[in-house]
Amino acid sequence: MAKPTVNINNTIRATEIRVIGADGEALGVIPTSKALELAEQQQLDLVEVSPTAVPPVCRIMDYGKFKYQQSKKLQEAKKKQVHVEVKEIKLRPKTDEHDLMFKIKHVRRFLEEGNKAKVTLVFRGREITHMDIGRAVIERFASELQDVAVIESQPRVDGRNMFMIVAPKVKK
């Protein structure tokens, strides 16, 4: 991923630019050379803020400090980001009661961790003719989890598999 480049000082190509001073007041549209002189007098940089505007908007500021603040904002945004994984659990139409409850317990744990779960029911051989049994198993699974989960994707068939996606309920 290429980082967006910002034109500063002598890399600004426009002949006339709209300048914003170091304290935030608008200095108006002035030639680039004069704006560079103003920035040098204050021992600051001329940074292109909005290159697509007509004329381009530049600001007199400390570019090093600006870059540092931008990186800090990015770090804060990354900290607050929530990474949700989709964990998969596989069942069969003939999965026994105890095994089903065990898998429900696993999915419940995934949901409590904040992850989503994909419940896949795999049909083998002639089991595909008994879709109603498979649908009953997957609906039972959903009803057991209704207190902690919301069904994000209703059960649907894809080839020999029936699957649904469950997500954790939003905490208030």
Side-chain angles (χ1 to χ4, degrees):
M1 184 172 114
K3 290 187 178 182
T5 57
V6 178
N7 292 330
I8 59 168
N9 297 333
N10 294 323
T11 59
I12 298 170
R13 299 256 182 246
T15 54
E16 282 196 333
I17 54 175
R18 185 176 306 276
V19 180
I20 300 168
D23 50 350
E25 90 281 355
L27 301 177
V29 179
I30 57 176
T32 309
S33 57
K34 189 173 179 197
L36 277 168
E37 287 174 20
L38 284 171
E40 283 177 25
Q41 286 172 5
Q42 298 174 23
Q43 295 181 339
L44 295 171
D45 300 305
L46 186 65
V47 181
E48 196 170 40
V49 180
S50 179
T52 56
V54 179
V57 179
C58 295
R59 185 177 198 138
I60 297 173
M61 67 170 89
D62 183 357
Y63 184 65
K65 186 176 177 182
F66 173 71
K67 268 180 56 176
Y68 175 75
Q69 288 171 341
Q70 292 294 86
S71 69
K72 282 294 175 195
K73 281 182 189 174
L74 276 172
Q75 284 177 351
E76 283 298 313
K78 275 186 181 180
K79 270 186 199 174
K80 292 178 179 151
Q81 231 174 28
V82 178
H83 183 68
V84 177
E85 282 186 60
V86 179
K87 308 256 187 163
E88 186 175 16
I89 202 103
K90 289 191 176 188
L91 305 167
R92 298 265 322 278
K94 294 180 181 177
T95 302
D96 198 39
E97 178 72 23
H98 177 264
D99 298 330
L100 192 66
M101 295 311 286
F102 199 77
K103 291 189 185 230
I104 288 171
K105 195 166 86 174
H106 277 291
V107 171
R108 192 176 289 272
R109 192 182 73 225
F110 296 156
L111 294 169
E112 286 168 358
E113 290 172 3
N115 296 315
K116 293 181 182 181
K118 180 178 180 182
V119 181
T120 306
L121 192 99
V122 182
F123 293 100
R124 288 197 192 144
R126 294 185 186 148
E127 290 175 348
I128 196 81
T129 58
H130 300 289
M131 283 282 187
D132 53 332
I133 295 171
R135 188 163 296 280
V137 169
I138 216 160
E139 285 174 0
R140 162 99 191 281
F141 209 90
S143 68
E144 289 284 336
L145 291 170
Q146 71 184 10
D147 60 326
V148 293
V150 74
I151 298 173
E152 198 172 82
S153 162
Q154 291 296 325
R156 62 177 191 255
V157 179
D158 180 31
R160 291 190 158 275
N161 300 329
M162 181 183 292
F163 67 93
M164 75 173 171
I165 297 175
V166 291
K169 277 189 177 175
V170 179
K171 294 175 181 118
K172 293 175 187 165

